[in-house]
């Protein structure tokens, strides 16, 4: 088995670096259905290809552009409501976090059970699993696939890492309240919602940014000395709006930081559910010139005006349009496509849905030359694997662990520029080996996705160990009596249709090990591309 496994990795690696798109030229209608399922969603589930072929590509795209018109399955709605009911309100999470961190700082047990460090680590694990479930289950199950794709796109664009202090407990609220409601709305609204959320204010330190002459620091902190922090102002222009070549200077970064002084939050007040705060006494009211124009001295309104200017800039329109074209069309998108999308962005006052509509109607998006040309990120790959198999997911721990091993932990990108979505970042032998290991476990029934886990038990093997190597006794203790049966390769092939080429099908048919059939399908060059 081991020899066959590593032989599979070698064969797939050599083919993947040479093979082109995965769509078959013999079934154009099916190829188009697969294209839209893979690009504006996370790949087909069983029956999806036939459904999209029946309804037509244009109708499917239009439906996805209006997710409010798509009813959620009652089972998914019930599960999401249950998750929401189980979660502590944001103020309570903040309070719990601060108490646990205080206990960890005072811990003298060396991490012994019941000590402060153990409490902190347990809270981190619990939050990672709960927040992971809130993100992954809709991505896998929701028929509103474009909405889930745009949540992923915008979270990555306005990246916040969960591993920084208070963001351990702020990250899910950030996604649910600052990203998701605006994912296909107006860019200006999305920009402000991310700017004012405590997760972003904390991550890039704007909550501590004050006028150099301010006295007393930020309420709710131990910070006594005031001072300007430029971290957020820099990323706001370089990453979130204008782009690195957006025509601004270092002086403009400093001035924007001054305009945003006082934009903060008070952790004490957040306990009462009021997160964002503007503190006038911390604002820099001095004269300012920004992007070549004088800034009216208006306190809080200075920051609002800055967001207006940034959101309406042609440089922002171009920057956002390039990222959308790169995500949905090609790693190196056509400049003409980017220009057309930027014009649409400007003409519609940053209407994200309108820009997407133009993108999906473009010849570049519809061109068969671009079918199967994008390499899946680990996030896209893991979700598409589960969708293709049709497996029920009650336990997201194996999925979170797989993404960790593939180098893309959920909410784990340390740098503010987010994860890349181009093949040069993710296409390498080590990463491919992790993918093959993951789908081998899936295919053999050794990844307990359907298990209902008893949360009162530690379940550490799902966080710190490889899922396929977890000790059976430990799994049984966690509520898993045994592994499931191997998956049927024929069912997976039927779900994916012509995405799996005749070359791959012939290799699977000639394989010495039928038990690895699903791994050969889901680890094939065809499936790793979208």
């Amino acid at each position: 088995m081991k020899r066959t496994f590593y032989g599979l990795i070698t064969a797939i690696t050599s083919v993947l670096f040479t093979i082109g798109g995965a769509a078959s030229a013999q079934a154009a209608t099916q190829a188009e259905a697969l294209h839209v399922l893979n690009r504006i969603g996370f790949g087909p589930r069983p029956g999806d290809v036939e459904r999209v072929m029946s309804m037509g590509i244009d109708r499917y795209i239009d439906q996805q552009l209006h997710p409010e018109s798509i009813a959620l399955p009652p089972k998914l709605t019930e599960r999401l409501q249950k998750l929401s009911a189980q979660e502590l309100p944001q103020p309570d999470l903040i309070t719990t976090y601060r108490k646990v961190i205080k206990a960890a700082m005072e811990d003298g047990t060396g991490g012994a059970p019941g000590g402060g460090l153990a409490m902190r680590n347990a809270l981190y694990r619990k939050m990672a699993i709960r927040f992971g479930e809130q993100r992954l289950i809709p991505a896998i199950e929701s028929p509103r696939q474009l909405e889930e794709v745009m949540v992923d796109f915008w979270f990555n664009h306005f990246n916040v890492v969960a591993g920084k202090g208070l963001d351990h407990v702020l990250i899910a609220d950030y996604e649910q309240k600052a990203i998701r409601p605006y994912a296909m709305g107006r860019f200006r609204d999305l920009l402000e919602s991310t700017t004012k959320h405590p997760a972003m204010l904390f991550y890039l330190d704007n909550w501590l940014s004050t006028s150099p002459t301010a006295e007393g620091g930020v309420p709710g902190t131990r910070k006594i000395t005031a001072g300007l922090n430029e971290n957020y102002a820099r990323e706001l222009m370089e990453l979130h709006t204008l782009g690195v070549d957006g025509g601004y200077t270092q002086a403009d970064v400093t001035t924007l930081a001054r305009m945003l002084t006082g934009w903060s939050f008070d952790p004490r007040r957040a306990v009462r559910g009021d997160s964002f705060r503007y503190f006038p006494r911390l604002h820099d009211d001095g004269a300012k010139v920004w992007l070549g124009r004088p800034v009216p001295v208006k306190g809080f309104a200075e920051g609002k005006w800055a967001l207006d200017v940034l959101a309406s800039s042609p440089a922002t329109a171009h920057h956002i349009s390039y990222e959308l074209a790169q995500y949905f069309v090609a790693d190196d998108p056509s400049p003409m496509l980017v220009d057309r999308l930027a014009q649409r962005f400007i003409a519609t006052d940053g209407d994200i849905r309108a820009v997407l509509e133009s993108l999906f109607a473009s010849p570049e998006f519809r061109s068969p030359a671009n079918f199967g040309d994008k390499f899946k990120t680990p996030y896209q790959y893991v979700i598409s694997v589960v969708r293709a198999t049709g497996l029920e997911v009650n336990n997201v721990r194996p999925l979170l662990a797989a993404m960790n091993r593939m180098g893309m932990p959920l909410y784990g990108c340390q740098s503010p520029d987010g994860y890349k979505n181009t093949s040069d970042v993710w296409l390498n032998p080590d990463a491919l080996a992790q993918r093959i290991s993951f789908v081998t476990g899936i295919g053999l029934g050794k990844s307990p996705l359907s298990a209902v886990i008893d949360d009162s038990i530690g379940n550490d093997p799902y966080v710190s160990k490889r899922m396929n190597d977890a000790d059976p006794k430990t799994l049984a203790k966690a509520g898993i009596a045994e592994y499931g049966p191997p998956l049927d390769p024929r069912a997976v092939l039927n779900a994916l249709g012509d995405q799996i080429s005749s070359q791959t099908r012939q290799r699977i048919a000639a394989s010495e090990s039928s038990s690895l059939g699903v791994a050969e399908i889901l680890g094939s060059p065809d499936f790793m591309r979208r």
Side-chain angles (χ1 to χ4, degrees):
M1 176 70 74
K2 186 174 182 180
R3 181 180 300 175
T4 305
F5 172 73
Y6 285 105
L8 177 62
I9 294 176
T10 302
I12 290 175
T13 302
S14 63
V15 175
L16 189 54
F17 278 93
T18 59
I19 196 167
S24 168
Q26 297 180 349
T29 302
Q30 188 174 117
E32 290 173 355
L34 284 163
H35 178 59
V36 296
L37 285 165
N38 279 311
R39 289 294 176 91
I40 69 176
F42 292 115
R45 302 196 80 191
D48 277 356
V49 173
E50 293 79 7
R51 180 172 61 85
V52 173
M53 290 174 63
S54 176
M55 70 188 302
I57 304 301
D58 291 333
R59 182 183 170 196
Y60 177 74
I61 291 175
D62 183 68
Q63 188 181 69
Q64 289 296 314
L65 284 165
H66 299 86
E68 66 281 356
S69 69
I70 307 173
L72 293 178
K75 187 175 181 180
L76 174 60
T77 300
E78 181 181 352
R79 182 165 185 183
L80 295 178
Q81 290 173 344
K82 183 177 180 180
L83 283 173
S84 179
Q86 290 175 343
E87 195 56 73
L88 287 174
Q90 188 67 64
D92 293 342
L93 279 175
I94 293 174
T95 301
T96 300
Y97 173 82
R98 300 184 83 187
K99 289 180 179 178
V100 167
I101 293 303
K102 181 180 179 181
M105 293 176 65
E106 298 171 350
D107 185 271
T109 68
L117 289 173
M119 291 170 56
R120 181 199 65 185
N121 294 337
L123 176 65
Y124 287 175
R125 286 196 298 269
K126 180 179 179 180
M127 292 300 97
I129 294 168
R130 287 289 178 85
F131 295 166
E133 193 170 8
Q134 290 175 359
R135 164 71 88 87
L136 295 180
I137 295 304
I140 294 167
E141 300 287 346
S142 176
R144 302 172 180 177
Q145 280 287 284
L146 178 59
E147 180 178 62
E148 299 306 317
V149 165
M150 293 308 297
V151 168
D152 174 52
F153 175 87
W154 287 122
F155 187 97
N156 207 52
H157 180 83
F158 295 104
N159 181 58
V160 169
V161 66
K164 181 178 178 178
L166 194 58
D167 278 334
H168 276 97
V169 296
L170 292 173
I171 203 82
D173 189 80
Y174 174 68
E175 180 175 285
Q176 293 296 324
K177 294 181 180 176
I179 301 289
R180 185 173 288 275
Y182 308 98
M184 284 195 281
R186 290 180 65 247
F187 179 77
R188 171 63 179 81
D189 298 333
L190 175 62
L191 182 64
E192 181 167 342
S193 70
T194 58
T195 298
K196 295 169 69 174
H197 195 280
M200 180 64 76
L201 291 165
F202 185 88
Y203 174 52
L204 292 177
D205 306 311
N206 201 79
W207 79 301
L208 298 177
S209 184
T210 72
S211 165
T213 60
E215 296 182 0
V218 178
T221 75
R222 298 178 180 178
K223 184 176 176 64
I224 303 300
T225 305
L228 189 67
N229 191 300
E230 299 181 358
N231 288 352
Y232 179 61
R234 179 175 293 104
E235 308 306 353
L236 177 58
M237 288 196 285
E238 179 179 328
L239 299 178
H240 299 171
T241 56
L242 303 178
V244 68
D245 298 320
Y248 59 90
T249 66
Q250 173 56 39
D252 291 321
V253 173
T254 301
T255 302
L256 180 58
R258 294 174 61 202
M259 296 164 71
L260 291 170
T261 49
W263 285 51
S264 185
F265 71 100
D266 184 346
R268 299 171 306 178
R269 190 179 179 93
V271 173
R272 300 195 295 272
D274 184 8
S275 54
F276 175 77
R277 291 292 308 280
Y278 172 69
F279 299 108
R281 65 181 176 80
L282 304 181
H283 183 72
D284 185 336
D285 288 317
K288 308 176 185 75
V289 176
W290 179 61
L291 297 178
R293 65 189 85 180
V295 178
V297 180
K298 293 185 177 181
F300 175 65
E302 292 177 21
K304 297 270 288 186
W305 176 71
L307 297 182
D308 289 339
V309 172
L310 292 172
S312 61
S313 168
T316 297
H318 187 274
H319 180 57
I320 300 302
S321 296
Y322 178 87
E323 289 194 348
L324 287 169
Q326 184 182 71
Y327 188 97
F328 285 103
V329 178
D331 285 2
D332 186 18
S334 159
M336 292 185 293
L337 171 62
V338 175
D339 288 343
R340 292 199 306 274
L341 297 180
Q343 292 170 10
R344 183 68 168 160
F345 187 101
I346 294 169
T348 61
D349 193 25
D351 186 326
I352 298 167
R353 194 194 320 264
V355 176
L356 290 174
E357 186 177 39
S358 295
L359 191 160
F360 299 149
S362 70
E364 292 87 349
F365 179 79
R366 300 291 182 105
S367 172
N370 289 322
F371 290 8
D373 191 49
K374 290 284 293 182
F375 190 72
K376 294 176 182 176
T377 67
Y379 179 80
Q380 295 163 345
Y381 180 70
V382 166
I383 294 174
S384 67
V385 164
V386 180
R387 285 179 59 81
T389 60
L391 288 171
E392 180 181 13
V393 178
N394 294 314
N395 172 27
V396 300
R397 293 161 178 79
L399 307 182
L400 296 172
M403 285 186 279
N404 287 346
R405 295 196 300 271
M406 294 176 196
M408 194 179 185
L410 187 64
Y411 305 128
C413 184
Q414 298 291 327
S415 60
D417 56 346
Y419 291 117
K420 307 302 181 187
N421 71 85
T422 52
S423 62
D424 59 302
V425 177
W426 303 112
L427 203 164
N428 61 77
D430 289 341
L432 294 178
Q434 293 294 345
R435 295 188 183 205
I436 300 302
S437 176
F438 171 63
V439 295
T440 299
I442 291 283
L444 295 176
K446 292 187 176 181
S447 190
L449 298 176
S450 61
V452 178
I453 305 299
D454 183 353
D455 283 330
S456 66
I457 300 173
N459 300 322
D460 281 350
Y462 297 107
V463 179
S464 60
K465 294 181 65 177
R466 294 167 59 124
M467 296 306 102
N468 301 338
D469 298 338
D471 179 68
K473 293 182 179 178
T474 305
L475 295 176
K477 182 180 178 183
I480 304 169
E482 58 184 9
Y483 291 132
L487 301 185
D488 183 355
R490 293 170 298 181
V492 178
L493 284 174
N494 288 339
L496 297 175
D498 287 349
Q499 182 171 349
I500 307 304
S501 66
S502 58
Q503 179 183 359
T504 299
R505 290 173 182 267
Q506 291 172 5
R507 187 170 63 248
I508 294 170
S511 174
E512 297 177 359
S513 175
S514 60
S515 63
L516 288 176
V518 170
E520 293 196 82
I521 297 167
L522 301 179
S524 69
D526 313 320
F527 186 78
M528 288 197 196
R529 294 188 177 273
R530 62 181 182 94

